[in-house]
Amino acid sequence: MSDAPDSRKSSSAGLTKMVVVAIGAFALTFALVPLYRIACEKVFGIRLERSAASGVQDAKAAPAKRTITVQFDGGVNSKLPWEFSPHQVTMQVVPGEQYQTTYYARNTSDRAVVGSAVPSVAPARASGYFNKTECFCFTAQTLQAGEARDMPVRFIVDPNLPADVNTITLSYTFFKNDTLTAQQQGTAKAAPAPLSAP
């Protein structure tokens, strides 16, 4: 009868030892990797490559996208009775992405007037990298007496824009189209009538 409590005590002590050994082995397994790395680098002078996990973290920390400042400007020739200006003076853009802005135009005269816009891009070497996909400058614009209109421009800055160009200015000047304005106003000169014989 006295053997039963002793066998229970030894079973309990054996189980405790097994749990302690299992926990120790588990902890030792985790400790081996940093210990191995320290031993290789400090004792043998061998530098180990970074783990795949750190490579994934580096991939996530991708560099920020480049941004360019685009400035907008607008004016009219003195012969054109219009008001013309950009709604937005500057915009931050990422090269390769499409953007849209608008200009405001208003005919301040009491007759229909046709205007044609001439664009320019500065600096000049950036002009080949500034692509307009939609622009009021592609066609002549007619504004009736007192009419006001928003005129959109869609554009993309080429990602190959030189690295030292950080600001681009898009400027428009509107000129009066005398021929089309005369046609709109019905004041085009008619061909002279032949002289009648006396």
Side-chain angles (χ1 to χ4, degrees):
M1 291 288 209
S2 62
D3 289 344
D6 288 340
S7 66
R8 283 186 189 155
K9 274 187 183 179
S10 65
S11 292
S12 177
L15 183 61
T16 304
K17 287 180 183 177
M18 287 177 57
V19 169
V20 169
V21 168
I23 291 173
F26 187 74
L28 182 63
T29 303
F30 276 99
L32 281 178
V33 173
L35 290 174
Y36 177 75
R37 181 178 298 277
I38 291 169
C40 286
E41 291 179 1
K42 301 293 181 188
V43 177
F44 301 110
I46 300 170
R47 183 138 184 98
L48 299 176
E49 291 184 20
R50 290 180 298 173
S51 68
S54 65
V56 170
Q57 289 175 351
D58 288 348
K60 287 180 182 176
K65 290 184 177 180
R66 178 185 181 194
T67 57
I68 304 296
T69 301
V70 178
Q71 300 174 332
F72 304 101
D73 187 29
V76 295
N77 179 273
S78 59
K79 289 176 58 179
L80 184 66
W82 284 12
E83 293 174 355
F84 178 70
S85 60
H87 276 294
Q88 188 173 355
V89 178
T90 62
M91 181 185 290
Q92 296 296 314
V93 305
V94 175
E97 297 181 11
Q98 181 168 279
Y99 293 87
Q100 176 172 317
T101 190
T102 54
Y103 280 74
Y104 170 81
R106 185 172 79 89
N107 180 356
T108 58
S109 74
D110 58 357
R111 306 185 79 177
V113 179
V114 180
S116 296
V118 177
S120 66
V121 174
R125 64 198 186 99
S127 61
Y129 302 93
F130 193 92
N131 304 308
K132 296 180 290 297
T133 59
E134 180 185 328
C135 183
F136 53 85
C137 62
F138 296 155
T139 58
Q141 302 293 318
T142 302
L143 291 181
Q144 300 301 320
E147 181 184 359
R149 183 187 309 156
D150 286 337
M151 299 181 174
V153 179
R154 286 198 182 113
F155 63 91
I156 300 171
V157 175
D158 191 315
N160 295 317
L161 178 74
D164 62 332
V165 177
N166 297 311
T167 303
I168 298 174
T169 302
L170 174 64
S171 182
Y172 289 96
T173 303
F174 254 106
F175 293 88
K176 183 178 179 184
N177 188 316
D178 291 321
T179 303
L180 294 178
T181 298
Q183 291 173 3
Q184 278 289 321
Q185 295 176 355
T187 58
K189 293 182 180 177
L195 297 172
S196 55

